[in-house]
Amino acid sequence: MKELYISFGSNVGDSISIFRDAVNVLSKVSGLYIQKKSSLYETEPWGKIDQNKFLNAVIKVTYEGNVEHLLLELLKIEKLFGRKRIIHWGPRTLDLDLLYGENVVCQTALLQLPHPYFWDRLFVLIPLAEITPSFSYRNQLIMDRINELGNVGVIKKEGCVW
Ligand SMILES: Nc1ncnc2c1ncn2[C@@H]1O[C@H](COP(=O)(O)OP(=O)(O)OP(=O)(O)O)[C@@H](O)[C@H]1O
Ligand SMILES: Nc1nc2c(c(=O)[nH]1)N=C(CO)CN2
């Protein structure tokens, strides 16, 4: 059984409904169990800044299978919600990234784990910090990195459940 973190991103369509429906589909993947969900965050676009704000969140899951197999499931779910790959880091209905797993490393053409950019993305680090045990060494490292990056452009959507 592996503990893994998955990020959700969307800036096209009804992003909250897309997240709700996608997490429901994800919960039906064989061998996958959702353990925690972060709050929803409204975030400034990163990397390619001339596009709409994003909705972002992170979840923690346990998974009984192979991580590359899980990535293929995530790609299928993105497609189900109308994901089209047109512009690099551009607008999207749903992006599901595998961020990292406890003691899991993968460097293949299909999957890089830890995700190559997660350490540079506040829209991932801030929701991740929320669901990482608060007195853990890992949480401390994430909080230090958030402070280093400047903690701007990521706002929690209060009172919004998914
Ligand atoms: N950890 C990972 N999580 C998700 N996809 C990954 C990962 N490592 C490698 N990939 C590969 O990246 C490919 C392109 O993914 P995608 O089009 O979602 O990139 P992106 O979201 O535009 O950019 P980024 O990967 O920087 O978030 C996927 O087809 C997948 O095979
Ligand atoms: N705020 C924000 N910016 C992004 C996002 C995202 O999910 N949120 N995803 C990207 C490509 O993966 C590029 N830029």
Side-chain angles (χ1 to χ4, degrees):
M1 182 94 86
K2 299 173 185 71
E3 287 190 345
L4 297 157
Y5 291 85
I6 298 172
S7 72
F8 282 59
S10 168
N11 70 344
V12 173
D14 182 350
S15 300
I16 296 184
S17 296
I18 292 172
F19 278 20
R20 286 191 187 122
D21 293 346
V23 84
N24 192 26
V25 175
L26 192 59
S27 70
K28 296 192 173 71
V29 168
S30 170
L32 182 137
Y33 304 93
I34 294 172
Q35 305 293 338
K36 278 186 190 172
K37 291 191 293 186
S38 77
S39 304
L40 298 172
Y41 290 82
E42 186 179 82
T43 70
E44 294 296 331
W46 175 98
K48 184 184 181 326
I49 58 172
D50 56 333
Q51 58 181 321
N52 290 342
K53 287 181 183 179
F54 278 78
L55 187 71
N56 283 108
V58 170
I59 66 168
K60 178 182 178 181
V61 302
T62 53
Y63 185 59
E64 283 166 353
N66 166 285
V67 279
E68 286 186 288
H69 184 260
L70 177 57
L71 181 78
L72 293 175
E73 294 290 338
L74 298 184
L75 294 175
K76 271 196 256 173
I77 297 171
E78 286 180 350
K79 213 167 168 192
L80 193 65
F81 288 89
R83 171 74 186 273
K84 299 211 168 46
R85 290 187 162 73
I86 301 164
I87 305 170
H88 178 53
W89 288 345
R92 63 225 24 229
T93 48
L94 180 64
D95 187 27
L96 297 172
D97 286 341
L98 261 179
L99 299 178
Y100 75 88
E102 297 293 337
N103 305 316
V104 191
V105 174
C106 183
Q107 291 294 335
T108 64
L110 182 67
L111 175 65
Q112 290 172 269
L113 210 61
H115 188 286
Y117 295 108
F118 97 88
W119 201 236
D120 296 323
R121 293 175 163 176
L122 280 171
F123 67 80
V124 162
L125 293 170
I126 290 175
L128 185 61
E130 185 192 335
I131 58 168
T132 310
S134 38
F135 291 103
S136 63
Y137 178 59
R138 190 179 296 276
N139 182 269
Q140 191 55 58
L141 286 177
I142 295 168
M143 293 307 294
D144 288 349
R145 181 62 176 156
I146 290 169
N147 289 328
E148 194 175 43
L149 290 173
N151 195 354
V152 285
V154 177
I155 295 168
K156 192 193 280 193
K157 285 177 85 74
E158 299 293 347
C160 191
V161 286
W162 67 300

